[in-house]
Amino acid sequence: MWTTAAFDKMVLKLCIIKDLLLLKYHVLYMDADVFLFKNPFPFLSKYSTYDFVAQKDDDICAGFMYLNPTSETIRLMHLSINMMYTREIMDQDAIQFLTGMSKNTIKFAFLPNKYFMSGRDYAQ
């Protein structure tokens, strides 16, 4: 079970991402346990027409996301923060749920596993 301190950090993560998007920054978010073998930006630039892209675990992995400063991405972060508080769920669950509910409005893609593999896949 997540502690209150861990939950607060997950909320803060999305608040910071939302604030950066509001300032029109493109945001590459990656958890501390992600290891890069080379610069991802040349590859990620191919997704400039998307609202956001993410690594795939079983579904969207909120531990590695590249977010473009679009109104839909900002809306997603805002709604995810609210959903975390109202449903007491973690950031990844909120993002997954809301992205699924917004399939007609948010332009999202999974990053190819060949280049952005899950830690679970890498360890095998």
Side-chain angles (χ1 to χ4, degrees):
M1 181 66 186
W2 288 94
T3 65
T4 301
F7 181 82
D8 290 344
K9 288 175 187 172
M10 293 298 114
V11 172
L12 182 58
K13 162 186 155 178
L14 295 190
C15 290
I16 292 169
I17 290 171
K18 182 183 74 155
D19 287 348
L20 291 168
L21 294 169
L22 285 166
L23 293 170
K24 304 294 184 206
Y25 285 103
H26 298 259
V27 178
L28 173 60
Y29 175 83
M30 52 189 228
D31 284 346
D33 63 349
V34 173
F35 185 82
L36 297 175
F37 291 103
K38 65 183 192 178
N39 180 359
F41 289 107
F43 190 87
L44 294 172
S45 68
K46 299 174 186 177
Y47 293 94
S48 63
T49 62
Y50 286 80
D51 295 306
F52 82 105
V53 293
Q55 182 183 41
K56 183 175 183 177
D57 246 345
D58 294 324
D59 202 330
I60 295 169
C61 176
F64 191 95
M65 304 182 293
Y66 183 68
L67 305 102
N68 289 309
T70 66
S71 59
E72 283 302 315
T73 309
I74 294 165
R75 181 176 169 272
L76 174 66
M77 292 299 107
H78 178 75
L79 292 174
S80 295
I81 293 163
N82 288 339
M83 181 174 275
M84 288 176 72
Y85 279 121
T86 57
R87 295 195 182 179
E88 298 181 346
I89 61 173
M90 297 311 292
D91 60 330
Q92 184 162 295
D93 298 321
I95 291 169
Q96 289 173 0
F97 179 81
L98 291 165
T99 300
M101 296 295 294
S102 304
K103 286 183 182 174
N104 296 330
T105 58
I106 195 157
K107 192 167 181 189
F108 158 77
F110 285 114
L111 291 163
N113 193 42
K114 178 180 178 181
Y115 301 112
F116 299 90
M117 71 174 51
S118 160
R120 173 182 14 176
D121 297 334
Y122 181 75
Q124 291 181 2

